[in-house]
Amino acid sequence: MYAVDTPPRTSDPAPQPAPKKVNRVRRRSQREARTAWLLSLPTLLILAGLLAYPLYRMIVLSFQNMRLRELITGLTPPWAGFDQYTKALTDSVFWGVVARTAVFTVVSVTISVLLGLGVALLMRRVHSKVRLFMMIAMMFVWALPALVAAQAFRWITDSDFGILNYLIDKIPGVDFANHSWFVNPWEGWAVITTLVVWAGIPFLAISLSAGLTQVPKELLEAATVDGASAWQSLRSITLPILKPLLTIVTTLSVIWNFGLFTQNWALRDGHPEPVYQTLATFSYTQAFGQSRYSYGSAISVITVLLMLGVMAFYIRQMFKIGEVD
């Protein structure tokens, strides 16, 4: 018998998806995108109705020269073009306020997110009753109005009757009697930052604690069996899973803290010194404290423009998470 040579068998080509299936998936994605926008439309319309006209008036006012005379008489303010913006963008005081606001935002958000994550991790390790007590306590802190919290911190740090000075003064060799926390800007901003962080931790801790429930215990147990430390498990497993949620809560914290107004305004009794001015208080002081309404409006418009990038990033992340889900 003679051997018959057979051609070598070649691997079968990879199956290609059917065109109908590809079109069906594409149409489904388009329907889901339209549904997401339709569900968001009522909220967007309400926000536009509440904010569109005030924002329009603020923009128009920033291009005018509104003075106290026009405000009282009702006359149309003279048109000033970009004069108010030129004045702001060439003012070293304005840029100092911008830098101060940005530094405060970075510091306060970083501390808040780290402490919030730490509290969230702690909540996953304690007994369920202790976790419930922690959540109730933090909800009370979160529900406390910012003005009330600021007044409480003002009493705590009062130079004459504050409990903080009283306790520190009890330390041997330390004299803190009648110490004013706002004479030194570093100490004053430490008080303001502590207040903002204290008020922001509940939202971050509760949100991140809910996100931690999505971390599979099997992965953490397998990593422990493989000899991974707690830090390695956190860095390689927990944080990657929490990344979308961390991005969202961090972005929200940036938006809230960048618009700081109530805390430093109340702690300084409605008259914050220049070193404690942020963009929100600076705009208000210029508009209503010095009757420079158009200049204050221009500063407000610039603040909105600075925040648009952060807001766009936040909305984009929300839609990305929706697409993943």
Side-chain angles (χ1 to χ4, degrees), residues 135-319:
M135 292 186 67
I136 294 175
M138 286 190 293
M139 288 299 294
F140 275 110
V141 173
W142 193 19
L144 195 66
L147 183 60
V148 176
Q151 289 293 345
F153 266 69
R154 184 182 172 190
W155 293 334
I156 291 172
T157 59
D158 185 78
S159 58
D160 297 321
F161 308 105
I163 186 64
L164 183 59
N165 284 355
Y166 173 79
L167 293 176
I168 296 178
D169 194 56
K170 292 297 181 181
I171 300 176
V174 178
D175 182 14
F176 253 66
N178 305 116
H179 176 76
S180 177
W181 285 87
F182 291 93
V183 171
N184 186 332
W186 290 98
E187 294 181 358
W189 275 110
V191 174
I192 297 172
T193 304
T194 301
L195 171 58
V196 173
V197 170
W198 174 79
I201 283 178
F203 166 75
L204 293 166
I206 294 174
S207 300
L208 294 176
S209 176
L212 287 172
T213 61
Q214 304 302 313
V215 180
K217 293 183 179 180
E218 296 79 8
L219 289 179
L220 297 175
E221 293 173 355
T224 303
V225 171
D226 291 339
S229 63
W231 165 249
Q232 290 173 331
S233 299
L234 175 66
R235 184 184 60 186
S236 302
I237 299 176
T238 304
L239 290 182
I241 295 176
L242 278 183
K243 183 180 178 181
L245 181 59
L246 272 172
T247 302
I248 293 299
V249 297
T250 302
T251 308
L252 280 175
S253 298
V254 169
I255 294 173
W256 294 336
N257 293 7
F258 194 83
L260 175 73
F261 182 91
T262 304
Q263 290 83 348
N264 57 332
W265 187 267
L267 285 171
R268 300 313 301 139
D269 197 23
H271 299 88
E273 296 84 351
V275 74
Y276 294 115
Q277 292 277 9
T278 58
L279 275 172
T281 59
F282 186 65
S283 172
Y284 184 89
T285 302
Q286 293 297 314
F288 300 101
Q290 302 184 22
S291 300
R292 303 165 69 181
Y293 305 105
S294 295
Y295 186 54
S297 298
I299 295 172
S300 298
V301 172
I302 294 173
T303 303
V304 172
L305 292 176
L306 290 174
M307 292 305 301
L308 277 179
V310 182
M311 294 169 64
F313 178 78
Y314 169 72
I315 295 173
R316 180 172 176 270
Q317 292 300 315
M318 289 293 293
F319 277 104

Side-chain angles (χ1 to χ4, degrees), residues 18-78:
K20 292 184 178 180
K21 183 177 180 180
V22 174
N23 294 333
R24 188 162 56 247
V25 171
R26 185 181 295 111
R27 286 195 298 269
R28 180 182 177 184
S29 300
Q30 293 174 351
R31 284 197 305 269
E32 290 177 350
R34 285 196 298 268
T35 302
W37 279 107
L38 287 175
L39 293 175
S40 304
L41 187 60
T43 302
L44 295 176
L45 290 176
I46 292 174
L47 289 175
L50 293 175
L51 300 177
Y53 180 73
L55 184 60
Y56 164 76
R57 288 294 304 151
M58 183 177 69
I59 294 174
V60 171
L61 187 60
S62 68
F63 287 99
Q64 297 173 336
N65 186 19
M66 168 73 81
R67 293 162 295 187
L68 191 59
R69 182 179 63 184
E70 285 79 17
L71 183 66
I72 295 175
T73 60
L75 297 174
T76 302

Side-chain angles (χ1 to χ4, degrees), residues 51-132:
L51 300 177
Y53 180 73
L55 184 60
Y56 164 76
R57 288 294 304 151
M58 183 177 69
I59 294 174
V60 171
L61 187 60
S62 68
F63 287 99
Q64 297 173 336
N65 186 19
M66 168 73 81
R67 293 162 295 187
L68 191 59
R69 182 179 63 184
E70 285 79 17
L71 183 66
I72 295 175
T73 60
L75 297 174
T76 302
W79 192 258
F82 288 93
D83 290 351
Q84 307 297 341
Y85 292 96
T86 303
K87 179 190 291 186
L89 297 177
T90 57
D91 186 5
S92 60
V93 176
F94 168 77
W95 286 112
V97 174
V98 173
R100 189 180 305 115
T101 306
V103 171
F104 162 78
T105 302
V106 172
V107 172
S108 60
V109 170
T110 301
I111 297 175
S112 299
V113 172
L114 291 178
L115 291 180
L117 180 60
V119 173
L121 292 171
L122 177 63
M123 290 173 62
R124 304 311 305 171
R125 291 182 173 271
V126 298
H127 192 271
S128 58
K129 294 182 179 179
V130 179
R131 186 186 310 128
L132 179 62

